[in-house]
Amino acid sequence: MNRKMMKRVLSVTLSTAILLAGCSGNSKAGSSDSSAEPDPDKTYDITYTGLWCFSDYEDGSFAEKMIEDALNLNITVEKAETTDTIDLLLASGEMPDCMWTETKTPKWMQEQELIRTIPKSMVEKYCPKILEYYEKNPLIYKMVSSTDNEDEFTCLAGLTFQFVDYYLPGDFYRYDWIENLGIDLGVNVEQVSDRLYVADDGIELSKFIEIMDAFVNKDPDGNGKKDTIGAAAPDWGVGGLGQFYSAYGFSRDINERNGRAEQYYVLDEYKEFLKGFQELYAKNLLDPEIIGNDRTIAWDKVNTGAAGYWLSTTNTLNSWAVDRPPLVLLDRDPDAKLLATPGIRPDGGEVQAYVHPTPAYGKFYVNANVDDEKLAKILEFFNYTIFGAGDKEITAKLFFGEKDIDWKWDEKGETPVKINVLNSGDKGTWSFSQYGQTEEVTKWVGEEELFQAGGKYWSKGDNGTWLKWQHRPYKADLANETQYEQIAQEINGDLEAYVASYRTQAVLGQVNVDDTWDDYLKELDRIGYTRMMDELEAIPSIEDMIAELEK
């Protein structure tokens, strides 16, 4: 879709553009008649599932009742959220009228005849604000537009700016340990708050190894004992060690090599990563349990003072992360100081940080049996839950609960201040609004005091200097134009298991990486790796897609 066509999508009158709550339609499924309106005296029944709609979701919650009263709806929340429960829900033939999911592609949902398309004219009428975001981020159009009809969407994408502006990959060190050891980091370090320090560049790999050696073999905490350990990581999921990959000159997800899209785990640089970590593990410079897959183990070692380095994101400086470091560590140990860095880099090289291609978040599908009249109400529901129908107080209630009970406005009347800290899902908070994290909401939930202290390094709003090292994946089949996703779903179980098994064997020193590398690649091909990646050769790179859309 070119930019000229997008302009046509947004060519609405000013009066229509401000109709955030919208009017309605009154025709049958599959049509695009947006002129008719639903009966204003009728209560519409809508079934729904989304994030934080677990089995313990409280029917008739505060948020649910607020939406029902505002829109004249009777909402039934289907208790499903995980991939498994979503699969069971769909397999049972009981797909709700509308739902959010992050795992099912539009192509798959259409092939199963589960969903209907959504006319752009109706989106234009009932929630034009979402189109403004799609216009600013035209890759989203490719993700949600029908390949058969440019005037229809297969689904709607939600928004979050956390994965492009706030969840910056990085790492944390115990800076008080570094000070005790007298280590020169080779980068500029600034104290931005009482106990938070920030590096202006990534730590070089050789320096990182020097630090881990000192953490393990010296006495960084000054207790007279050799009881501290090396690097702790959150998990070993495929792609879960992006900051470590940076140290060897590549990033997680899909990289470009010789003009071809390749997954990180087939790169020569990944081979060097495995050999490097095999050596570090043999020298006891990694947490012995780093090969496990339980991030809570690593968190506990940091929080109890056993480990002084861990992978994380800058967003864990906010209060949502109260169960993990660094907040637990700072609370438990008043002498602990933190150093945040954008990651590890090769000696003489640059940090390679992964960033999502767009702020798109989740996919909102509408059941195939929904007609246009009901679709109109569902789009009103979408607009109310994602944008608060243009009222930021509604949005605040959907995220934080009851005003003056669970939260209040700050002195400027701009930001909610928590009175009663609710878990996500309590009172229906986040259950309907999770995918509506606009820039304003993202600041509400992701820019608390400690985070803001280092904003000039990692916040897009402050033109953060770390952002220059972020890289989108080289390619991604955003519009499901190829068989890539289908093949990936067929082989990913075997593929991920084999990659994980080989990685573990390599790090533990059970295989010689140089001697077994060719056999490793051959087995990936046997599983289907090359067949999967060949599909991406048919589509342009993400940067080329953006250039084409912006013509």
Side-chain angles (χ1 to χ4, degrees), residues 29 95 113-116 366-371:
M95 177 181 165
E113 300 182 347
L114 292 169
I115 61 172
R116 63 160 289 167
V366 178
N367 190 298
N369 296 321
V370 169
D371 63 18

Side-chain angles (χ1 to χ4, degrees), residues 350-405:
E350 290 190 347
V351 170
Q352 297 281 320
Y354 171 87
V355 65
H356 285 238
T358 75
Y361 186 30
K363 303 175 189 71
F364 184 80
Y365 292 111
V366 178
N367 190 298
N369 296 321
V370 169
D371 63 18
D372 275 2
E373 179 180 329
K374 193 167 187 176
L375 175 61
K377 297 300 295 184
I378 288 174
L379 290 175
E380 287 183 0
F381 169 79
F382 177 91
N383 184 65
Y384 189 91
T385 56
I386 299 303
F387 298 114
D391 186 336
K392 71 176 185 178
E393 186 158 304
I394 292 173
T395 299
K397 290 177 180 179
L398 290 170
F399 277 99
F400 303 111
E402 299 177 73
K403 185 183 178 185
D404 297 326
I405 296 175

Side-chain angles (χ1 to χ4, degrees), residues 62-351:
F62 164 75
E64 182 182 318
K65 288 294 296 178
M66 184 174 73
I67 299 166
E68 288 180 331
D69 292 344
L71 301 180
N72 206 19
L73 291 174
N74 178 35
I75 300 170
T76 299
V77 174
E78 301 287 353
K79 310 297 178 63
E81 178 178 2
T82 66
T83 299
D84 289 343
T85 55
I86 290 291
D87 286 346
L88 288 172
L89 187 68
L90 298 180
S92 70
E94 297 180 2
M95 177 181 165
D97 294 323
C98 56
M99 65 179 289
W100 285 101
T101 178
E102 296 176 36
T103 60
K104 298 302 181 185
T105 67
K107 189 173 184 179
W108 185 89
M109 296 290 279
Q110 285 185 311
E111 287 174 348
Q112 304 303 310
E113 300 182 347
L114 292 169
I115 61 172
R116 63 160 289 167
T117 55
I118 304 169
K120 289 182 179 177
S121 59
M122 294 185 71
V123 179
E124 187 179 76
K125 185 172 184 178
Y126 303 120
C127 40
K129 192 172 182 66
I130 196 67
L131 297 181
E132 295 175 19
Y133 281 99
Y134 294 178
E135 168 72 8
K136 293 176 184 176
N137 300 275
L139 283 177
I140 302 178
Y141 271 109
K142 290 190 69 68
M143 299 169 66
V144 300
S145 293
S146 169
T147 56
D148 298 325
N149 185 341
E150 67 177 19
D151 293 323
E152 295 181 336
F153 291 123
T154 56
C155 63
L156 296 178
L159 301 164
T160 182
F161 289 83
Q162 296 201 37
F163 300 127
V164 294
D165 293 349
Y166 292 85
Y167 274 97
L168 294 192
D171 44 17
F172 287 93
Y173 297 78
R174 285 288 297 267
Y175 193 57
D176 51 318
W177 289 11
I178 291 172
E179 288 182 322
N180 292 343
L181 294 165
I183 298 174
D184 178 5
L185 296 174
V187 295
N188 297 316
V189 174
E190 179 186 3
Q191 182 176 5
V192 297
S193 72
D194 181 35
R195 292 193 285 161
L196 177 62
Y197 298 72
V198 181
D200 70 345
D201 201 348
I203 303 297
E204 289 191 332
L205 177 58
S206 60
K207 181 62 65 173
F208 168 78
I209 294 172
E210 177 188 337
I211 296 168
M212 292 305 101
D213 183 73
F215 279 7
V216 172
N217 296 310
K218 296 184 179 179
D219 185 18
D221 58 1
N223 68 354
K225 300 177 182 178
K226 190 177 177 180
D227 57 357
T228 47
I229 62 176
D235 65 67
W236 276 88
V238 174
L241 298 176
Q243 295 92 309
F244 285 145
Y245 300 155
S246 172
Y248 294 85
F250 65 103
S251 63
R252 53 165 282 201
D253 210 271
I254 297 176
N255 293 246
E256 182 272 329
R257 290 298 182 271
N258 301 317
R260 182 178 170 86
E262 300 286 7
Q263 294 283 358
Y264 70 92
Y265 50 77
V266 304
L267 304 179
D268 289 340
E269 293 90 339
Y270 181 74
K271 175 183 176 182
E272 295 306 309
F273 156 76
L274 293 176
K275 291 161 62 178
F277 262 54
Q278 185 179 93
E279 183 176 348
L280 292 177
Y281 194 86
K283 291 181 177 179
N284 199 34
L285 301 187
L286 306 177
D287 174 9
E289 294 185 275
I290 200 172
I291 59 171
N293 198 33
D294 186 348
R295 63 185 182 176
T296 58
I297 292 176
W299 293 346
D300 185 62
K301 292 181 180 183
V302 173
N303 291 334
T304 57
Y309 170 86
W310 67 101
L311 304 181
S312 192
T313 63
T314 55
N315 197 38
T316 57
L317 293 167
N318 293 302
S319 62
W320 69 270
V322 293
D323 61 340
R324 66 196 71 184
L327 298 184
V328 174
L329 172 65
L330 291 175
D331 183 60
R332 289 184 179 180
D333 187 346
D335 297 322
K337 298 178 183 179
L338 304 176
L339 172 68
T341 91
I344 312 169
R345 59 190 174 101
D347 290 5
E350 290 190 347
V351 170

